[in-house]
Amino acid sequence: PPGGGGGGNGNGGGERSITGELESCAGGMYHFTYTASRTGHYTLSLVVGRDKTLVGDANFPVEVLPGELSSQKCGVFGGKLGTGTMVYGSSVTFGLYLRDTLGNYISCEHYKRGFSHHNITEVAVYHEASDDSNHAVWNVPARVGRCRDNVYHDGALDVLDGVMDVTFLVPRPDGESSA
């Protein structure tokens, strides 16, 4: 059976778990499949028999990395978002925090290490006018800047949360970006 535990960088606020399943046991070889729902450092223990003897008299370290970047789980914060005080032609920067499809934090190190499936190829900012305003609807490209890690403490764990800086120019009322 699989074992789990250990410390390290995980997704704060959720119970970590690894589930395992015996795939085959032919010819004295046992093949297991393990699935983890939370990132972090784990200790894998394999035991056999009624006495649950530890295989190899050792535990095995396992690091579970975040999965593919998910736009549905990422979020934004900061800047002048939601305040209604953006000025035409001004530059606005906000933070885009990075998450995988299970909501696990993606640190900047993991973002860079898994660039092939975390790569943010395009960011656009949309503005939809409210029903009671005469403001223009607009869509402008944004520039992705540096990635920085915020550190959170979850009990004994330090959790790294990757945040990308995103900057855009607020367009003029005619919908064109300022130069």
Side-chain angles (χ1 to χ4, degrees):
N9 295 333
N11 184 15
E15 184 176 319
R16 295 194 213 178
S17 66
I18 294 182
T19 58
E21 182 178 323
L22 176 63
E23 293 292 321
S24 66
C25 56
M29 299 284 290
Y30 293 82
H31 296 272
F32 292 89
T33 300
Y34 293 93
T35 304
S37 59
R38 296 284 179 231
T39 59
H41 295 275
Y42 293 86
T43 301
L44 180 66
S45 304
L46 299 172
V47 295
V48 295
R50 287 187 183 149
D51 297 333
K52 297 188 178 182
T53 306
L54 189 61
V55 172
D57 199 26
N59 294 314
F60 305 97
V62 175
E63 181 182 11
V64 177
L65 299 176
E68 187 171 340
L69 184 73
S70 168
S71 62
Q72 298 298 312
K73 297 289 183 170
C74 291
V76 297
F77 69 92
K80 297 180 179 181
L81 300 176
T83 65
T85 58
M86 292 186 254
V87 177
Y88 294 118
S90 67
S91 175
V92 176
T93 300
F94 60 89
L96 171 68
Y97 59 84
L98 308 174
R99 300 287 186 272
D100 71 6
T101 55
L102 295 174
N104 290 302
Y105 299 134
I106 298 176
S107 70
C108 293
E109 176 189 347
H110 290 139
Y111 178 82
K112 292 171 187 164
R113 193 186 315 172
F115 194 69
S116 62
H117 65 270
H118 293 323
N119 187 12
I120 298 173
T121 57
E122 178 182 348
V123 176
V125 177
Y126 298 91
H127 174 267
E128 296 178 2
S130 61
D131 292 338
D132 61 346
S133 76
N134 293 328
H135 296 98
V137 174
W138 47 263
N139 165 15
V140 294
R143 182 181 51 81
V144 177
R146 70 183 174 104
C147 187
R148 57 188 156 73
D149 283 325
N150 290 334
V151 179
Y152 300 100
H153 304 288
D154 182 19
L157 301 177
D158 285 339
V159 178
L160 294 178
D161 185 13
V163 176
M164 302 291 289
D165 289 335
V166 178
T167 303
F168 69 97
L169 292 176
V170 179
R172 292 188 299 255
D174 59 11
E176 304 227 354
S177 292
S178 301

